[in-house]
Amino acid sequence: MKSVIQDIKQESNKNSSFIFTLVLLVTIPFSLAVNNIALILLILSVLINFNKNNFNINLLFFFPIVLFLWMSVSYFWSIDKHETLKAIPKGIALLLLPLVFMKVQISKTEKEKLLKYYSFSMVLIVVFFLLRAVIRYLISQDTRSFFYHGESDDDYGLVPNLLNAIHVSVFVALAFFYFFTKEIKSKIDIALSLLLAGFIILLSSKNIILVVVVLILVYFFYYSKASHKMRLRNLIIFIGIIAIGLSFGKIKQRFQEEFRNNAPNSISPDVSATFENGVHNVSIYEAWNNEKFSPNDYFPGTALRVYQARMFLELLKEENLFIQGFGLNASEIKLLEKEKKYNLYHGYGRFNFHNQYIQNFAEIGVVGFLLLVIMLFQTLKKAINNKDFMHFSFAVLMISLFLTESFLCRQRGVVFFTLLFCIFNSISPKESINIETKL
């Protein structure tokens, strides 16, 4: 701890905003109040030292700024102005953080140390939730304490419902790749990699588990120094280990639930559906084609997302939303109308689209959709050009997460995405000098 404090103090002497950026980064999983205070402190540190640093124009940072302004302007055409007004403050980081990082120059060394201490903070959070799970299991004898997240009215899962297991999986995955991709790994690094990988599996997010596996393979084949030495045998062994890991308990159950309930009926409408205790598990085919549902219909994760995509396409045909959308956070009214039309169980209409691309398109139109896609494409392009695997991992995780989650509908998601976007795409002092020289 002494060396850590000295290291942070040394970096803060070079850049007074370093420690506040670090605090904001490591408090993302904390309560929103704590994270808001960290954001305010970062902004104050920049304002206090405003004259000490040059203001560097970074074209990439204009995209989140314009996205926030477009979200805010949608109030004027929103079909639910009250909800739009409530949602605008959640996205304020899209405006403030890019402005902060145009003033604060993050060097390569500072970026590496931010990721280092962020990753160790995730280790502490993982240990906390594992200990919490053990204690809760000893009290309740409920094995659900070790998996996923609970419901809003029954907090039985590994992490609280408010945090969301899928979102925590992304936070932890980035930390996992920090330890996993170190060129020289100590025994502690290996142990922490295994700990974080195990926690991701326990969180049981199918999408993130698969993406992490793919990224590991990409690292082995294209980024690691030993990539040219890989053999098919190593790949088979690795996939075998992953398959064994996914065959256990709740993780296997969550994968089987999707494939059992979705795959057969997605191929043919004639295949009989699965009924359990009077509840019908809707298949992908049914979610896309049924003209009516019943209150006994249950939508597994993939089927729900297919149904939501179908509703978006229907709304796109029926409503004038292509350019402007319904307004920020204003689509619920239309989804509730669809709930009544299709006779869904009460509550399904209150789910958002669970797809950030669709969410942006439905609420702030094609402009909001394109701004998001451009941001993701540009950050992925820069990661590939710089051969920065941590940056590449962040980009791929965000691209895949946005396919299954409306991540930016939550303030915590906005802060995580925008802060890491700014850190990875910041122009270092050296780069800034080169740009000025070219100009």
Side-chain angles (χ1 to χ4, degrees):
M1 285 302 297
K2 185 178 179 181
S3 62
V4 168
I5 293 171
Q6 288 177 342
D7 190 27
I8 293 175
K9 185 177 179 181
Q10 182 180 355
E11 292 301 327
S12 297
N13 289 334
K14 299 176 186 176
N15 182 348
S16 58
S17 297
F18 175 84
I19 188 170
F20 298 106
T21 304
L22 178 59
V23 170
L24 179 61
L25 188 58
V26 301
T27 57
I28 286 173
F30 291 24
S31 71
L32 294 179
V34 173
N35 202 236
N36 285 337
I37 292 172
L39 178 59
I40 292 170
L41 291 174
L42 173 59
I43 294 169
L44 288 175
S45 72
V46 174
L47 292 176
I48 291 171
N49 298 281
F50 193 81
N51 295 324
K52 292 184 179 181
N53 298 315
N54 295 324
F55 199 83
N56 298 291
I57 301 300
N58 187 333
L59 295 179
L60 269 181
F61 289 174
F62 281 100
F63 290 104
I65 292 172
V66 174
L67 178 59
F68 174 77
L69 294 176
W70 186 250
M71 289 162 57
S72 302
V73 171
S74 73
Y75 170 82
F76 295 103
W77 63 76
S78 174
I79 62 174
D80 191 342
K81 285 182 166 53
H82 176 69
E83 287 299 320
T84 298
L85 196 61
K86 281 172 52 180
I88 289 174
K90 293 181 182 179
I92 194 67
L94 287 165
L95 171 68
L96 297 178
L97 287 175
L99 292 175
V100 164
F101 280 88
M102 284 191 204
K103 190 66 177 174
V104 176
Q105 298 176 340
I106 299 293
S107 67
K108 183 179 179 181
T109 301
E110 289 171 337
K111 182 185 75 172
E112 291 173 351
K113 290 188 177 180
L114 285 171
L115 293 174
K116 171 185 175 181
Y117 292 122
Y118 165 79
S119 300
F120 276 106
S121 74
M122 287 300 109
V123 170
L124 295 177
I125 288 173
V126 165
V127 171
F128 168 79
F129 280 118
L130 287 175
L131 291 174
R132 175 180 180 264
V134 170
I135 294 171
R136 286 156 66 92
Y137 173 74
L138 293 175
I139 295 172
S140 65
Q141 298 297 304
D142 188 346
T143 56
R144 294 182 301 174
S145 300
F146 294 101
F147 302 96
Y148 207 53
H149 60 240
E151 305 298 333
S152 56
D153 58 347
D154 187 2
D155 182 20
Y156 56 76
L158 179 59
V159 298
N161 177 268
L162 187 62
L163 271 181
N164 189 300
I166 299 173
H167 298 179
V168 176
S169 295
V170 174
F171 303 158
V172 175
L174 194 64
F176 162 76
F177 282 114
Y178 170 78
F179 295 108
F180 181 77
T181 59
K182 291 179 73 172
E183 291 185 6
I184 302 176
K185 297 183 184 68
S186 66
K187 291 182 179 179
I188 293 177
D189 293 325
I190 296 172
L192 294 181
S193 297
L194 293 173
L195 174 68
L196 296 177
F199 193 76
I200 293 170
I201 292 174
L202 291 177
L203 287 170
S204 312
S205 170
K206 301 176 292 297
N207 178 27
I208 302 305
I209 291 174
L210 291 174
V211 172
V212 167
V213 171
V214 170
L215 284 171
I216 289 173
L217 294 176
V218 170
Y219 174 76
F220 271 128
F221 283 108
Y222 296 101
Y223 281 87
S224 70
K225 288 186 176 180
S227 59
H228 63 284
K229 298 179 181 179
M230 287 291 292
R231 296 289 185 270
L232 181 60
R233 181 192 62 184
N234 302 74
L235 177 60
I236 293 173
I237 293 173
F238 178 77
I239 293 176
I241 293 172
I242 295 297
I244 293 172
L246 295 179
S247 68
F248 289 103
K250 295 289 184 180
I251 298 91
K252 178 182 177 181
Q253 180 183 333
R254 283 185 57 76
F255 274 89
Q256 284 183 335
E257 182 183 75
E258 292 295 338
F259 290 108
R260 182 181 68 245
N261 297 325
N262 293 327
N265 282 8
S266 66
I267 297 172
S268 169
D270 299 324
V271 180
S272 60
T274 302
F275 286 85
E276 295 177 2
N277 300 322
V279 176
H280 172 51
N281 292 300
V282 178
S283 71
I284 289 176
Y285 179 89
E286 292 169 331
W288 188 256
N289 292 282
N290 279 13
E291 292 301 321
K292 283 288 182 180
F293 297 93
S294 76
N296 287 334
D297 285 337
Y298 168 74
F299 287 78
T302 305
L304 175 63
R305 287 161 174 82
V306 169
Y307 165 80
Q308 296 288 55
R310 174 187 172 186
M311 294 305 102
F312 165 70
L313 292 177
E314 287 188 9
L315 290 169
L316 190 60
K317 293 178 182 178
E318 299 166 358
E319 306 284 346
N320 183 26
L321 62 84
F322 185 82
I323 300 298
Q324 298 176 325
F326 295 124
L328 182 64
N329 205 37
S331 59
E332 186 178 297
I333 293 175
K334 296 297 181 179
L335 290 175
L336 285 170
E337 291 176 0
K338 293 294 183 181
E339 174 190 278
K340 293 179 182 179
K341 176 183 176 180
Y342 287 99
N343 193 35
L344 267 66
Y345 180 78
H346 178 68
Y348 273 115
R350 295 193 180 279
F351 283 114
N352 60 36
F353 285 103
H354 280 73
N355 182 308
Q356 192 61 57
Y357 307 106
I358 291 177
Q359 196 81 36
N360 271 36
F361 209 133
E363 295 186 345
I364 49 179
V366 67
V367 176
F369 169 77
L370 290 176
L371 286 169
L372 181 63
V373 170
I374 290 170
M375 288 169 64
L376 292 170
F377 172 77
Q378 289 296 333
T379 196
L380 179 62
K381 179 182 176 182
K382 186 170 182 179
I384 294 172
N385 290 341
N386 292 343
K387 297 181 180 179
D388 184 341
F389 187 77
M390 286 294 291
H391 190 173
F392 179 78
S393 298
F394 166 74
V396 173
L397 284 167
M398 291 295 99
I399 290 169
S400 61
L401 179 66
F402 288 173
L403 287 170
T404 62
E405 296 293 315
S406 296
F407 190 58
L408 302 183
C409 286
R410 293 197 177 193
Q411 183 177 327
R412 186 177 285 108
V414 175
V415 173
F416 178 83
F417 172 70
T418 312
L419 181 57
L420 268 300
F421 178 86
C422 290
I423 289 173
F424 281 119
N425 293 292
S426 285
I427 298 176
S428 68
K430 183 178 180 180
E431 290 173 321
S432 178
I433 292 171
N434 290 338
I435 290 173
E436 290 176 4
T437 303
K438 290 178 183 179
L439 292 175

